[in-house]
Amino acid sequence: MVLHRITFIAALLVTCNLVNAKELAETPSYNARVLASDLDQPWSVAELPNGDLLLTERGGQLWRVDNAGNKIKIGGVPAVYHKSQGGLFDALPDINFAETGALYIAYAGGGADANRTTVVKANLNDNTLTQITTLLAVNPDKDTAVHYGGKLAWLADGTLLVSVGDGFEYREHGQDLDSEMGKLLRINSDGTIPADNPFVATAPRVFSYGHRNPQGLVVDAATGSIFMTEHGPKGGDELNIIAPGKNYGWPAITYGIDYSGAVISPFTESPGMEQPITYWDPSIATSGLAIYHGNEFTDWEGDLLIGALKDRKLYRLEMEGGTVLSQSEPFPEVQGRVRDVRVFSDGVIYALTDEGQLYRISRN
């Protein structure tokens, strides 16, 4: 066991660019149970104020799930473009959902020749979406069914962050402020543009740029820090702390290479471009991202939980002052392509896998 742990940490330092690794603490006693196992391409899970879960399936289904795993289908979901990586993505309750009943939903809109990441606002009434209003349709359209982003997160000021991928074949758009692909966007809750966005005169909705395919997004309620993960190509998955107006480099700098083996860029850094706080080479295929605050696993306060599609695991990143100290696999029972992970207000952890399982993880 000791030899295995030493070998693991040594490999971790080489492949993940982690610094100051400490001895990994044992996971406290816990209960990881499968709450539902019949899901079809689940993509995201969110918390409703009454304790129910809001769950999306990429094919276009939206479900309300109770703590016994019972599902109620929600009607009125907009038609999605479901092909390859396209479909229904995030569903995020309004900050004041108990009063407004409003949801914000990200999905792939359009069709094969012209599609885009789209965000709508809707009211949830008697398990049906009503008063659907389009808040954002990424410009320009693309004709690829990949790299949408589609993650949503609230900032403390009530503005909404929306991650957008580069469309794969349009990777140069990541550096082009005339395009909203390869960006993190920021809008008001009614779809209007915040007056303090960093490029409000020229690229009104752009908050940060130089991103490839952001698959994890979380705002730390304690500090206001914005953490985002994105897929690299072959190698070079990144974890970044996002600041307004900053350029995160793709594809001008990268720690990965093309899937063909060709060099995308000879550079891993450049003046005026931000470095990730850590990266993975080889790729783990980063997905959902959550920050731990709660009373279930108190020793993990401020640490990150991250899903890995390729590694088929749920990882914990031990954090200190914006630095990753170590990486561990606290819940080996969670197996499969971990698509999403969330920490609810009671400190309970929920994780989704592409294989259709929803896990609930608590201390009891």
Side-chain angles (χ1 to χ4, degrees):
M1 176 64 74
V2 173
L3 179 60
H4 174 75
R5 176 166 292 178
I6 292 172
T7 303
F8 173 77
I9 294 175
L12 182 66
L13 288 169
V14 171
T15 61
C16 298
N17 193 38
L18 303 184
V19 295
N20 299 326
K22 300 193 302 184
E23 181 70 15
L24 302 180
E26 295 294 334
T27 303
S29 61
Y30 62 90
N31 177 25
R33 64 184 177 95
V34 176
L35 191 62
S37 59
D38 58 348
L39 305 171
D40 183 13
Q41 294 183 312
W43 207 89
S44 78
V45 61
E47 180 180 13
L48 292 173
N50 69 346
D52 285 352
L53 291 73
L54 191 67
L55 189 144
T56 66
E57 293 177 337
R58 198 150 49 83
Q61 293 74 41
L62 180 62
W63 301 93
R64 183 195 291 267
V65 184
D66 66 21
N67 275 322
N70 300 309
K71 299 188 303 179
I72 298 175
K73 189 172 183 178
I74 295 174
V77 178
V80 306
Y81 176 49
H82 181 215
K83 182 178 180 181
S84 186
Q85 296 174 4
L88 182 60
F89 305 133
D90 238 348
L92 183 69
D94 187 82
I95 292 176
N96 299 310
F97 177 84
E99 292 77 35
T100 66
L103 298 178
Y104 295 77
I105 298 171
Y107 63 96
D113 295 330
N115 62 81
R116 68 212 66 88
T117 304
T118 304
V119 178
V120 299
K121 179 181 180 179
N123 287 345
L124 180 60
N125 293 311
D126 296 326
N127 297 316
T128 300
L129 298 183
T130 63
Q131 298 178 285
I132 299 172
T133 304
T134 300
L135 301 185
L136 184 151
V138 166
N139 183 43
D141 290 341
K142 60 188 183 65
D143 59 4
T144 58
V146 289
H147 290 200
Y148 289 93
K151 284 293 184 181
L152 306 174
W154 292 111
L155 288 174
D157 63 3
T159 57
L160 183 65
L161 297 175
V162 184
S163 74
V164 182
D166 67 353
F168 187 68
E169 293 180 9
Y170 298 87
R171 67 189 186 197
E172 302 303 328
H173 284 230
Q175 291 296 311
D176 182 0
L177 286 175
D178 290 330
S179 169
E180 292 182 325
M181 290 193 286
K183 309 295 190 297
L184 183 63
L185 306 181
R186 176 177 176 244
I187 59 174
N188 291 318
S189 61
D190 61 358
T192 58
I193 297 165
D196 59 347
N197 269 358
F199 309 105
V200 70
T202 54
R205 298 190 290 206
V206 172
F207 190 75
S208 64
Y209 65 109
H211 303 294
R212 185 174 182 268
N213 189 23
Q215 289 288 289
L217 177 64
V218 67
V219 177
D220 186 350
T223 65
S225 296
I226 304 166
F227 292 91
M228 190 164 77
T229 58
E230 60 184 88
H231 285 199
K234 189 176 181 181
D237 293 352
E238 293 184 3
L239 170 65
N240 288 290
I241 296 180
I242 304 298
K246 298 297 185 180
N247 179 358
Y248 290 82
W250 175 258
I253 59 174
T254 178
Y255 286 92
I257 59 174
D258 193 79
Y259 296 108
S260 68
V263 173
I264 295 170
S265 170
F267 305 109
T268 57
E269 56 185 82
S270 181
M273 296 183 182
E274 303 301 304
Q275 284 289 299
I277 61 172
T278 195
Y279 67 90
W280 290 264
D281 187 14
S283 294
I284 64 171
T286 56
S287 55
L289 180 67
I291 189 161
Y292 196 85
H293 295 300
N295 297 321
E296 295 285 303
F297 301 93
T298 53
D299 290 343
W300 296 0
E301 187 69 18
D303 290 350
L304 294 175
L305 297 168
I306 180 172
L309 299 171
K310 182 180 177 182
D311 279 13
R312 305 173 66 85
K313 293 177 180 178
L314 175 61
Y315 288 122
R316 169 195 167 211
L317 301 183
E318 184 183 2
M319 303 294 296
E320 185 175 292
T323 298
V324 181
L325 300 181
S326 63
Q327 176 176 299
S328 60
E329 183 190 352
F331 308 118
E333 296 86 353
V334 179
Q335 296 184 359
R337 289 170 53 86
V338 178
R339 175 62 60 178
D340 197 21
V341 56
R342 305 288 174 116
V343 177
F344 281 17
S345 58
D346 58 4
V348 173
I349 299 166
Y350 290 86
L352 279 177
T353 69
D354 279 356
E355 291 78 8
Q357 293 183 310
L358 169 64
Y359 291 87
R360 182 185 189 276
I361 307 167
S362 66
R363 288 294 303 274
N364 51 51

